[in-house]
Amino acid sequence: MATFAGCSSIGGSSNGTASGPTATKSPSSQSDALKSLTFEPKPKTSPRVMAHVELAADSRITQIGLINGMGNEVHRAFISARETVASFLVARIGDDPSERITRGENTLVLVGEETDVEIPVTYSASLELQEVIGPDESDGFPPSHRRNRRHIGLIVENTGQHADIAQKVVSEDGPHTEAFDKTTLEYDLDSMIKPGERKLLPVRNYLAELFDCSESYTREASMTLQSAFSEQVPFTQTFSYNPAENSCSLSLKGNYTVVEQTETKTP
């Protein structure tokens, strides 16, 4: 399919619903082949994003493709010329960035008997860190699956127009972290954050409380929240350890600080 080899940059709407496609064979003419393109988040144990395409009844499209912002093919499908709807996967929690739809501009390609169009599609997600909470600050944490290991929580909000998938927290200075798609007993973390949604993300096994401590002390940890589409969010948080029976109790000390490229911002 020659059209998939290179996709032109054509203006489109910011909400991911393509508008005003321009035919590559005749740039001055408009194509009405595409009626709508929407994205539906599928949460639960294996978060994913599906694209739903609705075509005009007389479009006679036989091939549908999606090229991401890196120029890589995310999807290609062959359909009957009589079909007017199609759904396909555009992102999963474990996908490499090159394998999924990307934040910003992507390109939908429609090929038919008399149609060959490239339609820009913008995917907009923006995951923001709102708060970091300690083990005793929420009833929304799942049960700990190891003795004396407790969760901290990240409260995040998606201020974009499309869903994002929280993937993991990476620590730069030692403490063990786990990806958000892990399970704790029968609890399955829903790491899909829909547009406008605010959600608590438990961080499992962040700092182990398996060892005794003879005195109280603090430790500052540097962490980075990673998601499928949004920019990474690096931040620091100070943790306080205090002697407890056969362990150290863990709590947060002070507010987290988001680390920007040239400055820090404390919420």
Side-chain angles (χ1 to χ4, degrees), residues 218-230:
T218 60
R219 176 182 184 178
E220 182 180 271
S222 298
M223 298 165 281
T224 302
L225 169 64
Q226 297 181 352
S227 63
F229 300 109
S230 302

Side-chain angles (χ1 to χ4, degrees), residues 127-133 152-156 168-173 177 180 201 203 206 220-226 231-239 252 254-260 263-267:
L127 197 63
E128 298 183 1
L129 180 62
Q130 301 292 333
E131 190 177 354
V132 181
I133 63 175
I152 65 168
L154 307 185
I155 297 179
V156 299
K168 58 185 175 181
V169 169
V170 177
S171 175
E172 299 175 2
D173 54 2
T177 61
F180 287 124
L201 298 174
V203 182
Y206 179 67
E220 182 180 271
S222 298
M223 298 165 281
T224 302
L225 169 64
Q226 297 181 352
E231 297 291 337
Q232 296 185 358
V233 182
F235 63 98
T236 61
Q237 174 66 59
T238 300
F239 295 86
L252 304 186
N255 293 329
Y256 73 97
T257 300
V258 174
V259 181
E260 299 184 339
E263 60 181 351
T264 60
K265 179 178 64 177
T266 301

